[in-house]
Amino acid sequence: MVAAGAWTVDHAVWLDRQVQQRLGALPASIRRLTVRLDGLDQLDAAGAWLLERSARQLRAAGVEVAFRGLSGPRARLVERVGEAAGETLLAPPVRRTWLGRELERLGATTVAMIGEALALLAFLGAIVTTLLGTLVRPWRLRLTSFSAHVVQTGVEALPIVGLLSFLIGMVLAFQGASELTRFGADIFTVNLLAISILREIGVLMTAIIVAGRSGSAFTAQIGTMVVNEEVDALRTLGLDPMEVLVLPRVLALVVALPLLAFFANVMGLLGGGLMIVLVLDIPLTLFLEQLRTAATPMQLFVGLVKAPVFAFVIAMVGCRNGLRVQGDAASVGRLTTQAVVTSIFLVIVIDAAFSILFNVLGI
Amino acid sequence: MRSLSGPGSSDAAIRLTGIVNAFGPHVVHDGLELTVRRGEILGLVGGSGSGKSVLLRTIVGLLRPRAGRVEVLGADLFALRPAARRALQARWGVLFQDGALFSSLTVRENVQVPLVERLGLKGPLLDELAAVKLGLVGLGADAADKLPAELSGGMRKRAGLARALAMDPEIVLLDEPTAGLDPIAAAAFDELILSLHAALGLTVVMITHDVDSLVRITDRVAVLLNKRCIVATLEELRAYDDPWLRAYFGGPRGRAAIAAGDKED
């Protein structure tokens, strides 16, 4: 038999098919096969493997195989490739059926979720412990870090929170008015606006924006520090990452988010009021009079009391995911995304719980 | 092994002429010339910030120089049409500093990426070729189905080298292959490069800080000095009168490595 031409990886598919055909066509009685290779123009590792594999197949079938006309370096290449394949072959990857794969994934995800919920509770405990420790020794609070985070998460979020709340207020007023005018109750648009902004929309919108803006930033900041081994360095220096990294962020957000939510309330009422006064032709005095009866301090309180809780949850999830980062940069990205999803999910669940609570209390 | 098929069109694997690289006002290379011969192992050394990695990125076409000509295997890299350039890219393999493995794929899949994407290989041959390449760099079946994050630094570099070898390239470019490895792993990696060089007839360009590696495996050494490049054997470089080179080879580490190398010879 003769092998000639270019035995390279570029032609591997075609060569593979040809070799299999030729070997299949050999008479079963054959005992010896000499392959002449002096016509070989090019040979690389892929080509060498095809030669070596054919020889192995034939030898397994009891045929003696000899390669003739193989130059020194090429013979060494075939030998080296044979050795290399011997170490790894033939262990094909484990292949499962579709159902098996999906079941395995379902189980793994469930276990991971339960573990994650427990770990989050443990982290909550760790934060509270650190917080109590700081209450006893208030001078251990990192004021510089705390104020820097108040600026980053609060002051710098003012424009985006303000603008979005203003727009939402306008939309709310407009939608409410277009329904309520049909019943001749357009003045109650003011009540709709005041109650929905103050009780729900203002604080919820703020929490969602902050989760996307600052919760993710916490994960990315702390996660990057973990990858750079900065967190390990802190520990070896005798500093507690909970105290240095986590607590300032949590406290900063607990301070900043209620303030932001109040600002969002004001901007939402402004946007809605502008819409009502300009488009619905309700005089400003009448609007203000109606607003005074609708926007009671109680409504404001019911909304704002939720803000610190949301802030705590967002900061906790953000920091926890940052500390969960392991090794590579890819996990920073994955956990950042996950931090946003988890914290928005928790914010809405807690909001629903608050609604039920207020309903029971009759507020 | 196209280089085993006899003398090619030219004996230069890579030829750089008049390369100028600059970032803003900061000039890194100014009129740099470098020729890499076919089948040699060339070490590339230089101080921090002398532009070793920049030069590597220029050779593989990731960075277009401000002026000058990059010729790889006889073709002017930056004058080629995209299709021809992609074909040329299959003829070299690059090992980045930390392997640069795709983190979402297993080691086996990493090696298979070029075979699947460029040749459309599938089926048993795909798994076999990946296994051969992993075997060549000394990675066993247990490592093949792991994710890069689960490997040690040395294994990641081996896996990266296996991926660089997937398309049976004629040239491999290595960016600090032994950096971050312990001396035993570094020496093993040197031996691996030597054995692959012998078995596959590769041309190797290797950035390194490791004087032991230089002494052990390189045929010639290119030194980046004053925005240019001198190429010579180690002996010639030791005699060269330049403060940086004197400090490099004359320092305690350089002297020890060279003394060890001399004893071996």
Side-chain angles (χ1 to χ4, degrees):
Chain A
M1 201 177 266
V2 176
W7 283 56
T8 61
V9 68
D10 302 323
H11 308 116
V13 179
W14 185 83
L15 283 167
D16 185 32
R17 222 178 304 129
Q18 293 292 319
V19 167
Q20 294 300 344
Q21 260 176 30
R22 299 287 162 84
L23 293 186
L26 286 175
S29 58
I30 193 166
R31 281 287 153 261
R32 285 179 68 107
L33 183 71
T34 308
V35 187
R36 285 190 39 208
L37 297 168
D38 23 20
L40 222 52
D41 298 325
Q42 296 175 354
L43 182 70
D44 65 9
W49 167 244
L50 285 173
L51 287 177
E52 171 70 15
R53 189 183 65 181
S54 315
R56 283 184 191 191
Q57 284 174 346
L58 288 169
R59 283 187 196 120
V63 182
E64 226 176 279
V65 186
F67 292 134
R68 272 225 338 253
L70 209 54
S71 68
R74 284 181 177 177
R76 274 202 300 281
L77 175 64
V78 174
E79 197 181 313
R80 186 81 171 73
V81 164
E83 282 168 24
E87 291 164 23
T88 44
L89 278 185
L90 284 153
V94 186
R95 294 207 167 89
R96 291 193 184 81
T97 60
W98 175 84
L99 187 66
R101 261 204 323 270
E102 294 303 307
L103 272 178
E104 184 188 328
R105 217 175 55 183
L106 181 67
T109 316
T110 310
V111 170
M113 268 170 67
I114 294 171
E116 184 43 38
L118 290 176
L120 205 56
L121 273 180
F123 194 68
L124 173 66
I127 293 180
V128 171
T129 320
T130 317
L131 188 61
L132 292 179
T134 312
L135 283 185
V136 180
R137 290 162 296 175
W139 61 90
R140 309 260 321 237
L141 178 68
R142 318 268 148 174
L143 270 181
T144 324
S145 170
F146 168 77
S147 49
H149 284 296
V150 170
V151 172
Q152 268 177 30
T153 59
V155 180
E156 286 172 15
L158 282 174
I160 179 81
V161 167
L163 178 65
L164 289 184
S165 304
F166 187 83
L167 291 176
I168 292 277
M170 283 176 76
V171 171
L172 215 57
F174 186 73
Q175 294 297 338
S178 64
E179 280 300 307
L180 289 172
T181 11
R182 292 201 301 183
F183 304 103
D186 31 354
I187 189 64
F188 286 106
T189 309
V190 182
N191 295 53
L192 173 84
L193 177 74
I195 290 175
S196 50
I197 290 277
L198 293 185
R199 286 187 78 118
E200 288 292 336
I201 307 282
V203 62
L204 202 58
M205 279 289 296
T206 313
I208 289 174
I209 295 169
V210 166
R213 222 185 142 268
S214 304
S216 59
F218 289 173
T219 307
Q221 289 161 0
I222 297 180
T224 313
M225 292 183 73
V226 171
V227 172
N228 286 339
E229 297 182 311
E230 289 171 57
V231 175
D232 292 336
L234 279 178
R235 287 204 182 95
T236 57
L237 293 173
L239 298 168
D240 181 6
M242 292 298 291
E243 197 180 298
V244 180
L245 299 177
V246 176
L247 205 59
R249 286 180 167 81
V250 172
L251 290 182
L253 208 59
V254 168
V255 170
L257 204 147
L259 297 174
L260 272 179
F262 182 77
F263 177 66
N265 287 343
V266 173
M267 292 303 284
L269 290 180
L270 260 177
L274 191 74
M275 197 67 165
I276 289 169
V277 172
L278 288 187
V279 180
L280 295 183
D281 283 337
I282 291 175
L284 185 61
T285 47
L286 190 57
F287 169 74
L288 288 177
E289 190 55 38
Q290 188 71 18
L291 187 63
R292 190 173 307 157
T293 60
T296 59
M298 193 46 136
Q299 306 290 5
L300 183 68
F301 167 77
V302 164
L304 286 187
V305 76
K306 297 186 274 191
V309 181
F310 290 169
F312 192 90
V313 168
I314 292 169
M316 179 174 75
V317 171
C319 293
R320 154 100 186 112
N321 272 22
L323 289 172
R324 273 172 75 199
V325 166
Q326 268 166 352
D328 57 339
S331 70
V332 178
R334 196 163 38 78
L335 285 166
T336 304
T337 314
Q338 209 188 326
V340 177
V341 174
T342 310
S343 48
I344 291 179
F345 170 78
L346 287 177
V347 160
I348 292 176
V349 168
I350 293 171
D351 191 51
F354 265 116
S355 292
I356 295 169
L357 177 71
F358 291 143
N359 195 20
V360 171
L361 293 177
I363 301 176
Chain B
M1 220 42 26
R2 278 148 274 223
S3 58
L4 288 184
S5 57
S9 51
S10 132
D11 68 334
I14 300 167
R15 177 172 287 138
L16 306 179
T17 33
I19 297 293
V20 179
N21 270 318
F23 300 101
H26 176 59
V27 178
V28 183
H29 303 133
D30 190 7
L32 181 143
E33 316 269 330
L34 173 66
T35 303
V36 183
R37 297 178 194 148
R38 263 178 209 259
E40 77 172 339
I41 301 183
L42 180 82
L44 184 56
V45 301
S48 298
S50 62
K52 299 183 295 288
S53 291
V54 173
L55 189 63
L56 187 89
R57 292 169 65 82
T58 309
I59 295 173
V60 297
L62 287 173
L63 183 75
R64 200 187 187 100
R66 207 167 268 190
R69 194 176 145 89
V70 179
E71 247 178 83
V72 180
L73 298 165
D76 184 351
L77 186 61
F78 288 99
L80 287 177
R81 276 200 306 264
R85 199 155 136 193
R86 274 197 296 278
L88 188 61
Q89 271 163 352
R91 296 174 67 188
W92 69 63
V94 186
L95 170 61
F96 291 97
Q97 240 186 60
D98 199 33
L101 296 167
F102 303 123
S103 52
S104 57
L105 303 179
T106 64
V107 169
R108 182 202 305 270
E109 287 164 344
N110 261 287
V111 178
Q112 288 172 344
V113 164
L115 297 169
V116 172
E117 295 299 323
R118 305 198 62 113
L119 300 175
L121 272 180
K122 47 181 180 281
L125 186 61
L126 180 62
D127 283 338
E128 287 165 16
L129 284 183
V132 166
K133 294 293 149 63
L134 288 172
L136 278 176
V137 299
L139 285 178
D142 49 331
D145 288 312
K146 283 191 177 152
L147 289 171
E150 300 168 312
L151 298 180
S152 69
M155 284 168 94
R156 270 206 297 280
K157 290 198 180 194
R158 282 171 187 263
L161 185 58
R163 188 181 67 187
L165 292 174
M167 290 295 291
D168 280 302
E170 290 154 70
I171 306 173
V172 288
L173 301 125
L174 314 171
D175 192 354
E176 304 217 21
T178 55
L181 300 186
D182 66 67
I184 300 169
F189 208 91
D190 284 346
E191 292 309 314
L192 173 65
I193 292 168
L194 268 184
S195 83
L196 289 174
H197 173 254
L200 307 177
L202 297 169
T203 304
V204 180
V205 178
M206 177 172 88
I207 295 181
T208 188
H209 273 303
D210 187 343
V211 193
D212 289 307
S213 273
L214 281 181
V215 174
R216 179 82 188 93
I217 69 174
T218 57
D219 297 317
R220 292 193 305 159
V221 178
V223 188
L224 289 178
L225 269 183
N226 309 325
K227 296 168 190 171
R228 295 188 182 223
C229 183
I230 22 175
V231 187
T233 62
L234 266 180
E235 282 70 38
E236 290 162 2
L237 285 178
R238 278 156 74 186
Y240 201 84
D241 189 34
D242 174 89
W244 189 84
L245 270 178
R246 270 205 307 274
Y248 190 79
F249 290 114
R253 281 151 173 270
R255 273 207 311 269
I258 288 165
D262 286 346
K263 220 174 284 169
E264 255 175 54
D265 291 338

